[in-house]
Amino acid sequence: MPGFRSLSALSFCVALLLVHSPCRGGVVALVGGRVYRNPEQVVADGVVLIDGERIVASGAKSTVRIPPGAEVIDCTGLTIAAGFWNSHVHFTAPQWENAASLPAARVSQQLERMLTRYGFTTVFDTGSRFENTQALRLRINRGEVPGPRILTTGEPLVARDGTPYYLKPLLLPELLTPPQATAEVRRKLAAGADAIKLHTGAITDHEQDRHTALATDLVRAVTAEAHRQGKVVFAHPQYMNGWRAAIDGGVDVLAHVTEESEGWPRDLLASALRKHVALIPTLKLLAGTEPSRKQQGLLRQVREYLQAGGQILFGTDAGFIPDYDPSEEYVLLQQAGMSPAQILAALTTAPVSRFGGGIKAGEVVAGYRADVVVVEGNPAADIRALAKVRYTIRGGKFIYQRP
């Protein structure tokens, strides 16, 4: 496995000690850091108190009393924020196969390499084999391995003969009629999926440049049933017809921008905003590192959506792409016009409002869930600081510490 040897046994042992350390049974005080209580409210020299699974206080060092016996962690020069969400990941790579029986040490190292070392306390898997992802998250939830909370769509749904070329010879479940589409949504949600993912557009033959779009009536059947059950629908649009089918059909989240357009058609943008559709750009996946007309078109899509008031969610397609470092995504989002506060919102408050179901999370305030990330440096000065994680805390447990 590429890069697997770089994660030492010592790093894994440190992670286990952090999760199970007896000294973290009481109050933990993060002291002296720059605290983002939310993306817009910053305390320059702050304290965050964590007791069990909850934040019990946050504010200026001069106003927060640290109780006797608390474990004090010096965060001078560091930045403290709510735990990050990656709203677009996959567990489809070969190293995740047979997740139920993989050695715990290996699973822990893989989760660290892909997610927890970058501050992700919650992730949305937008297309993996459901039974395998379910086994992985059960192991995390039982405390067998330290990891993020995992939400999942299970396997995506496609049009007839609509499996993307890059997934073959695997064939995804196909939608043929509205009644059958409704039944398929019911089956997936009854099995425990947290949302539905559609390939509203797909390239099914790369050499022949053959495209397939999901009919709008099928998209509407899916979204109607998912919404009836209080669940969201993601769409992989791929190209313009896929965009239109997704938005006209009532999806909630576009899983990518599209490489086909240099900007939003005015009518489509208005419709997406009217329907409160969220956008996950995945610019690193699509834009590359060299400036180009294609890259500028992708950045323009994000800029236009942002300026029009659309909601942006952070996601990288980690697991499909093997380079897990989100630094480049942060830089590209900033180039698209997002401020550090807006990027932080895409990582915290925006996904909680979209997917959280009323949970108290996404901010560093008393009474909220103790999902917290501590990074080195100041993201307002250098957005890459968001990827330089010192501690990742989920529900009051330290699931990652930089060695």
Side-chain angles (χ1 to χ4, degrees):
M1 185 189 313
F4 187 80
R5 293 178 182 175
S6 66
L7 292 164
S8 67
L10 176 61
S11 174
F12 171 65
C13 291
V14 168
L16 285 184
L17 286 172
L18 284 165
V19 173
H20 299 293
S21 173
C23 69
R24 286 186 164 89
V27 175
V28 175
L30 307 175
V31 179
R34 181 183 301 101
V35 179
Y36 278 83
R37 287 166 54 86
N38 61 50
E40 301 292 341
Q41 185 181 8
V42 187
V43 178
D45 185 13
V47 173
V48 178
L49 298 183
I50 296 171
D51 190 357
E53 297 183 356
R54 295 288 164 184
I55 297 167
V56 294
S58 73
K61 190 190 294 185
S62 60
T63 65
V64 177
R65 177 181 174 273
I66 300 174
E71 180 187 3
V72 175
I73 297 177
D74 183 8
C75 293
T76 303
L78 308 179
T79 297
I80 304 167
F84 298 160
W85 289 56
N86 191 327
S87 297
H88 191 143
V89 306
H90 297 277
F91 297 101
T92 50
Q95 67 260 33
W96 297 111
E97 292 178 5
N98 302 311
S101 57
L102 289 174
R106 179 176 168 185
V107 174
S108 300
Q109 289 176 316
Q110 291 174 184
L111 287 167
E112 177 183 308
R113 177 172 174 257
M114 178 174 164
L115 299 168
T116 59
R117 68 173 294 185
Y118 297 116
F120 296 117
T121 57
T122 304
V123 299
F124 221 125
D125 159 47
T126 59
S128 302
R129 189 166 62 84
F130 177 77
E131 291 79 4
N132 199 58
T133 305
Q134 176 75 331
L136 175 62
R137 69 175 173 180
L138 283 174
R139 295 183 74 178
I140 295 171
N141 293 346
R142 288 196 300 257
E144 183 182 340
V145 293
R149 177 186 181 214
I150 297 175
L151 303 174
T152 183
T153 66
E155 297 87 345
L157 305 175
V158 300
R160 186 191 298 271
D161 299 323
T163 298
Y165 74 92
Y166 50 82
L167 296 180
K168 294 176 179 176
L170 171 71
L171 294 177
L172 295 175
E174 298 180 357
L175 302 181
L176 307 175
T177 67
Q180 179 258 344
T182 299
E184 185 65 18
V185 172
R186 289 173 179 166
R187 181 192 66 79
K188 288 175 67 66
L189 297 181
D194 301 289
I196 301 296
K197 165 80 172 290
L198 300 174
H199 280 266
T200 55
I203 301 175
T204 55
D205 188 322
H206 186 56
E207 293 183 358
Q208 299 295 323
D209 195 28
R210 185 175 299 136
H211 294 64
T212 300
L214 193 59
T216 304
D217 64 336
L218 296 176
V219 180
R220 287 178 179 150
V222 168
T223 58
E225 181 58 27
H227 292 167
R228 189 186 69 81
Q229 297 196 41
K231 304 297 185 181
V232 299
V233 179
F234 290 79
H236 178 121
Q238 190 70 51
Y239 62 105
M240 191 56 63
N241 284 349
W243 252 12
R244 290 193 176 278
I247 293 169
D248 290 347
V251 306
D252 304 285
V253 182
L254 296 172
H256 304 279
V257 289
T258 175
E259 297 175 86
E260 187 179 72
S261 176
E262 293 189 12
W264 282 85
R266 185 174 300 177
D267 66 316
L268 199 60
L269 177 59
S271 180
L273 294 171
R274 186 172 63 253
K275 296 178 179 181
H276 306 290
V277 178
L279 175 66
I280 305 173
T282 64
L283 291 170
K284 178 179 177 177
L285 169 73
L286 300 171
T289 57
E290 297 298 324
S292 64
R293 180 174 177 177
K294 169 188 167 184
Q295 184 186 93
Q296 292 308 307
L298 298 170
L299 296 178
R300 181 182 174 187
Q301 291 173 44
V302 178
R303 186 177 303 114
E304 289 177 348
Y305 208 65
L306 182 72
Q307 291 175 347
Q311 185 182 66
I312 306 292
L313 304 174
F314 185 84
T316 58
D317 220 338
F320 178 75
I321 59 172
D323 179 3
Y324 303 139
D325 188 341
S327 301
E328 186 181 331
E329 188 75 18
Y330 296 138
V331 171
L332 289 167
L333 290 173
Q334 195 167 53
Q335 290 176 2
M338 295 185 72
S339 68
Q342 288 171 324
I343 294 172
L344 189 57
L347 286 160
T348 58
T349 53
V352 170
S353 70
R354 179 66 60 161
F355 307 126
I359 63 171
K360 298 181 75 173
E363 300 183 38
V364 184
V365 295
Y368 275 50
R369 193 163 64 193
D371 291 353
V372 177
V373 61
V374 182
V375 304
E376 299 178 357
N378 182 1
D382 181 1
I383 198 63
R384 295 176 182 85
L386 291 173
K388 298 175 182 177
V389 173
R390 179 73 65 85
Y391 306 107
T392 303
I393 305 167
R394 179 197 169 197
K397 293 184 178 180
F398 286 64
I399 61 173
Y400 172 75
Q401 174 177 320
R402 186 172 180 178

